[in-house]
Amino acid sequence: MEKDDIDECINIAICIDDNYCQHINPMVYSIEKNTREKVRIHIVYYKLKAESLENIIKLNELLTNVELKLCRVREYQYDWLSKFKENSLPTEAYFRLLLPELLPDVKRILYLDVDMLILDSLGKLYRTDLGNNILGVVRDFPFTNDKNSWSYFFLGEFGNRYFNSGMLLMDLVAMRKNNIVRRFMEFILKTSQHYFLGDQDAFNIFFFYNVKILEDKYNYIAENQKILQKTNLEVVVMHYCGYSNPKPWLIYNDGSEYVQPAIRLYREYQRKINKLISNNPKVLLVVQENRYNLNQVIESIDYQNYGNYEVAFIPLKENSNAEILKKDYPQITIIKSRNDLERMVGSADYLYYMKNTSYFSEWDAISRLVDSAIEKAADYIIVSHRVFSMKHGNYQVQHESKKLIDISDRALEDLIIEKPVIFTQNEGFLVKKEILRKSNSSISQDMPDATMHLHIFNNAERKYLYDRLLWIKVDFEN
């Protein structure tokens, strides 16, 4: 292919709504860190809230060799795509169909799903010679590896050619020349009732004779590692998709030893870029080891999107798993003495206590609590929670108003009578370090008991209940 047929700058497209916008930071940051050439990322959207746009602006200010450009889908284009209602995919999933029209001055585009991490330079991929083909793609290994899978049912004997549409290297010049946008959309309207995987199936049928199959490393599906029983981080594009749903912003209950390292790597990128963007105060999570549910407790901390936190881990006196955890979760500091805890408290702005078998139920729980504390200049915020009974196998769920309720003029004793499930817990509250110092001049290595919680509560001046179910307590007894 002639050099003039490919843009000098690497052009990438990602398609988002508000839900996906909150997950773009790690992928964009990984491109910045691992691609040495100039990159322009076209962010395709229809409507975004102010906070989403603000995040994009902040992210763009931090980047040096990556530029973010907003590209809005027009009303008539959105109306076209809204006709595809035969499956559960949001309309935004089809935005990539419009790229030849949305980016008229771009010759070639690398479309990427948001749930990806870029681990090496994209230059070689972007300049791949496609020959007479319109798309460069990678086989969808979990399907093509299994002759009883959807791909073989869908494509018959050619099931091994079924590709994953999360990465598409697209020749936009050829697509415009052949009026692909109109033809493809008409094709989907006629056939979408037969699809299992939405426009991915449409891409496979429509472009069947016009794709170049590329190496797996350019769209390496995280779940491959479980199938192959090996961890491979020596890839260019890691894609966090698959039936076990290994999204790094969800608790990964599958627990595959082969997939987990890739998920932890994503979360490292997430913490680094979010720390750079937000410059938020440091939160020290004080966690008491228990004999039950420990992996889920630590996993729920690891998937937090908050960029500036540390974990002070108080181990059991006997048969502790602390050293094993430390290997997998380097942000954990094992507390061996009062001095260890004092030192960590000294560098923190807020503390949050977790004990027994509690775990966060939302990936942005810490972010929400800190944002609320900053907004209200609060010294103390306690949060609602759910209780899961192991004995009965169900949740005890109270109503949540999702409001910040000022309890500054209330007595803890009265609140305990009104809301015993919340206020009898000596955990689940975020407190400023200064209030802790006032409450207990000698920071104990033990977790807060009822007396210490009362001192903390009474010494705080601005106190709030965040009435949102952000954490879960597992009850092994009742």
Side-chain angles (χ1 to χ4, degrees):
M1 177 169 285
E2 297 295 328
K3 186 176 180 182
D4 290 344
D5 293 337
I6 304 177
D7 311 276
E8 290 186 15
C9 172
I10 296 175
N11 282 283
I12 295 172
I14 59 177
C15 302
I16 64 168
D17 57 10
D18 285 308
N19 181 49
Y20 280 109
C21 187
Q22 61 185 332
H23 300 302
I24 68 171
N25 293 4
M27 186 190 75
V28 171
Y29 185 59
S30 71
I31 295 173
E32 165 82 8
K33 299 302 288 184
N34 297 314
T35 294
R36 293 169 290 279
E37 301 174 55
K38 183 69 177 175
V39 178
R40 184 177 295 116
I41 300 178
H42 303 270
I43 300 179
V44 182
Y45 74 102
Y46 174 57
K47 288 182 179 178
L48 290 175
K49 294 179 181 177
E51 61 231 53
S52 296
L53 293 169
E54 183 181 355
N55 177 69
I56 292 170
I57 291 169
K58 286 183 178 179
L59 182 59
N60 199 32
E61 289 173 350
L62 285 170
L63 305 173
T64 54
N65 63 310
V66 174
E67 176 192 6
L68 304 182
K69 289 197 71 174
L70 290 169
C71 177
R72 188 176 183 276
V73 173
R74 296 182 179 180
E75 293 287 346
Y76 77 90
Q77 294 170 321
Y78 191 83
D79 290 342
W80 285 350
L81 300 180
S82 298
K83 296 176 183 178
F84 307 145
K85 291 300 181 186
E86 284 79 5
N87 57 63
S88 59
L89 285 176
T91 302
E92 285 76 9
Y94 293 98
F95 284 177
R96 55 189 162 180
L97 307 182
L98 301 174
L99 290 175
E101 291 188 359
L102 292 171
L103 305 172
D105 299 324
V106 177
K107 299 173 184 176
R108 170 176 287 203
I109 200 77
L110 178 61
Y111 167 80
L112 297 174
D113 275 354
V114 171
D115 58 343
M116 289 178 162
L117 206 63
I118 310 307
L119 302 178
D120 204 346
S121 179
L122 293 170
K124 187 176 179 181
L125 168 61
Y126 189 71
R127 292 182 174 82
T128 298
D129 186 351
L130 294 178
N132 294 321
N133 296 296
I134 292 176
L135 300 180
V137 299
V138 172
R139 290 187 179 95
D140 201 329
F141 180 80
F143 285 116
T144 59
N145 184 56
D146 180 3
K147 291 194 174 182
N148 295 314
S149 72
W150 167 249
S151 69
Y152 287 89
F153 176 80
F154 190 55
L155 298 178
E157 62 181 300
F158 300 104
N160 67 331
R161 284 179 56 84
Y162 186 87
F163 59 85
N164 181 281
S165 62
M167 185 288 293
L168 298 169
L169 183 61
M170 307 170 72
D171 182 343
L172 299 188
V173 174
M175 293 181 79
R176 294 187 198 103
K177 182 178 179 181
N178 292 282
N179 197 23
I180 291 296
V181 172
R182 290 284 182 176
R183 289 170 54 200
F184 194 17
M185 291 179 70
E186 289 172 2
F187 173 78
I188 292 178
L189 278 173
K190 293 176 182 177
T191 60
S192 59
Q193 67 270 22
H194 303 297
Y195 299 152
F196 175 56
L197 294 172
D199 66 330
Q200 176 165 292
D201 289 344
F203 269 102
N204 271 273
I205 291 289
F206 189 85
F207 292 101
F208 184 81
Y209 296 103
N210 299 108
V211 298
K212 181 171 183 176
I213 303 294
L214 307 178
E215 295 176 74
D216 287 351
K217 67 180 181 179
Y218 292 125
N219 186 4
Y220 194 83
I221 296 171
E223 206 166 55
N224 289 3
Q225 298 169 128
K226 184 169 63 174
I227 297 169
L228 297 171
Q229 295 193 352
K230 68 176 183 179
T231 296
N232 181 13
L233 301 179
E234 302 297 318
V235 301
V236 178
V237 179
M238 181 70 74
H239 191 181
Y240 295 88
C241 67
Y243 277 110
S244 66
N245 204 23
K247 296 288 186 278
W249 55 84
L250 300 175
I251 291 181
Y252 185 55
N253 287 318
D254 185 274
S256 167
E257 62 179 299
Y258 305 108
V259 180
Q260 197 77 54
I263 291 176
R264 291 188 187 121
L265 180 62
Y266 180 101
R267 292 169 179 169
E268 285 177 23
Y269 276 92
Q270 178 175 267
R271 284 190 289 270
K272 286 177 182 177
I273 184 58
N274 288 354
K275 184 175 182 179
L276 289 172
I277 284 181
S278 302
N279 194 28
N280 278 330
K282 180 182 282 189
V283 176
L284 178 63
L285 303 174
V286 184
V287 181
Q288 185 179 54
E289 185 176 9
N290 61 79
R291 298 192 185 280
Y292 310 100
N293 209 41
L294 184 58
N295 286 337
Q296 188 156 29
V297 174
I298 300 301
E299 170 70 5
S300 84
I301 294 172
D302 191 59
Y303 88 138
Q304 291 299 302
N305 73 332
Y306 193 76
N308 195 12
Y309 75 85
E310 290 185 324
V311 181
F313 188 79
I314 301 175
L316 293 170
K317 292 181 180 178
E318 296 180 2
N319 301 320
S320 172
N321 290 307
E323 295 298 337
I324 297 173
L325 281 173
K326 178 70 175 174
K327 292 179 182 177
D328 292 332
Y329 302 97
Q331 68 269 39
I332 289 176
T333 298
I334 301 167
I335 300 301
K336 297 179 179 179
S337 68
R338 179 179 292 177
N339 287 339
D340 289 343
L341 189 57
E342 287 272 10
R343 186 167 56 252
M344 295 189 75
V345 170
S347 67
D349 298 294
Y350 292 92
L351 281 84
Y352 182 91
Y353 288 99
M354 302 176 71
K355 62 179 181 177
N356 297 324
T357 54
S358 320
Y359 64 94
F360 291 115
S361 57
E362 301 286 345
W363 75 297
D364 58 351
I366 301 175
S367 297
R368 288 181 180 275
L369 284 169
V370 174
D371 287 347
S372 300
I374 293 172
E375 175 192 344
K376 298 295 185 180
D379 303 315
Y380 167 102
I381 291 185
I382 195 165
V383 64
S384 300
H385 65 281
R386 290 181 286 171
V387 178
F388 182 78
S389 169
M390 289 295 292
K391 184 175 181 180
H392 299 103
N394 56 27
Y395 284 102
Q396 173 191 344
V397 183
Q398 64 269 25
H399 170 75
E400 58 174 357
S401 68
K402 298 186 178 180
K403 295 180 179 178
L404 271 171
I405 302 169
D406 193 336
I407 54 173
S408 301
D409 60 349
R410 304 294 305 279
L412 184 59
E413 295 87 345
D414 295 336
L415 291 167
I416 288 172
I417 294 171
E418 288 180 24
K419 295 182 179 291
V421 174
I422 299 173
F423 288 95
T424 54
Q425 304 302 315
N426 299 317
E427 58 175 328
F429 57 85
L430 185 79
V431 61
K432 275 189 174 178
K433 174 181 66 179
E434 291 77 14
I435 303 302
L436 191 70
R437 296 288 190 191
K438 287 182 186 177
S439 308
N440 185 12
S441 57
S442 176
I443 305 286
S444 172
Q445 193 171 337
D446 298 325
M447 298 295 287
D449 58 15
T451 302
M452 184 177 173
H453 187 190
L454 178 62
H455 288 322
I456 290 171
F457 186 90
N458 288 339
N459 277 286
E461 294 183 8
R462 297 184 63 82
K463 296 169 278 195
Y464 287 84
L465 163 64
Y466 188 16
D467 195 18
R468 188 172 183 130
L469 306 176
L470 291 181
W471 64 282
I472 293 172
K473 178 182 179 181
V474 180
D475 189 341
F476 285 88
E477 297 178 3
N478 298 322

